[in-house]
Structures are given as C-alpha cells and as structure tokens.
Amino acid sequence: MAKAKTVIIYILMIFVLYTIIMSPQRAAELVQVGFEGISTAAQSVGDFMSELVK
C-alpha cells in the first residue's frame, strides 16, 4: 500500500511539472484561481464568525 501511495505521488508530481513546463501561463492561472478560492473561503469563515459574535 505504501508503494502505491509513493507511485501516485510521483505521477502527480510529474504531471504538475509537465503542466508547468508545457503551459506556464495556464499553470499560473490555475494557481491564481486556487488562491482566490482559498481567500474567498477564509473571508467567508471570518464573516460567519463575526456574525456569530454579534
């Protein structure tokens, strides 16, 4: 089971590197979308907690 996990991690790393090398513009867009999603989620949690305190 541990070997399968290691192989999957290596395959995922190779895919990420391939994507960055072959299309850096698209990779940057995907990272930006991911960070925007995380930022929006954190802001929503903050708003929720603020409303609970009121």
Side-chain angles (χ1 to χ4, degrees):
M1 187 66 173
K3 282 195 172 211
K5 184 178 179 181
T6 304
V7 170
I8 290 172
I9 290 172
Y10 282 134
I11 290 172
L12 183 62
M13 288 173 51
I14 290 169
F15 175 73
V16 168
L17 289 174
Y18 174 79
T19 302
I20 291 171
I21 291 169
M22 296 306 292
S23 181
Q25 181 70 27
R26 179 70 177 140
E29 290 172 3
L30 291 174
V31 169
Q32 183 178 6
V33 167
F35 280 124
E36 286 175 0
I38 292 170
S39 174
T40 301
Q43 184 177 8
S44 297
V45 169
D47 292 344
F48 175 73
M49 292 298 175
S50 295
E51 289 298 320
L52 283 179
V53 172
K54 288 183 182 178

